């Protein structure tokens, strides 16, 4: 059985996981942005985390 070390996980994968966790929390609050502007803000946040 192979052991996976945390240092072997690519940073892009952990950034994506953190971004998804943020989306779960943010989804519970009322939105200030809608439609295309919402996706631009969300993708900007993902770019910052990556």
């Amino acid at each position: 059985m192979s052991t996976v070390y945390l240092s072997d996980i690519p940073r892009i994968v952990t950034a994506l996981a953190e971004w998804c966790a943020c989306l779960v929390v943010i989804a519970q609050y009322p939105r200030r942005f809608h439609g295309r502007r919402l996706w631009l803000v969300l993708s900007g946040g993902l770019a910052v985390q990556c």
Side-chain angles (χ1 to χ4, degrees), residues 8-50:
D8 292 340
I9 299 173
R11 181 66 186 147
I12 190 83
V13 174
T14 57
L16 186 60
E18 290 174 6
W19 183 71
C20 289
C22 290
L23 288 181
V24 169
V25 172
I26 290 171
Q28 298 178 12
Y29 293 100
R31 294 186 185 143
R32 290 189 292 178
F33 305 111
H34 297 284
R36 187 174 187 187
R37 188 169 180 188
L38 172 67
W39 286 106
L40 286 172
V41 170
L42 292 177
S43 62
L46 177 61
V48 168
Q49 286 187 336
C50 289

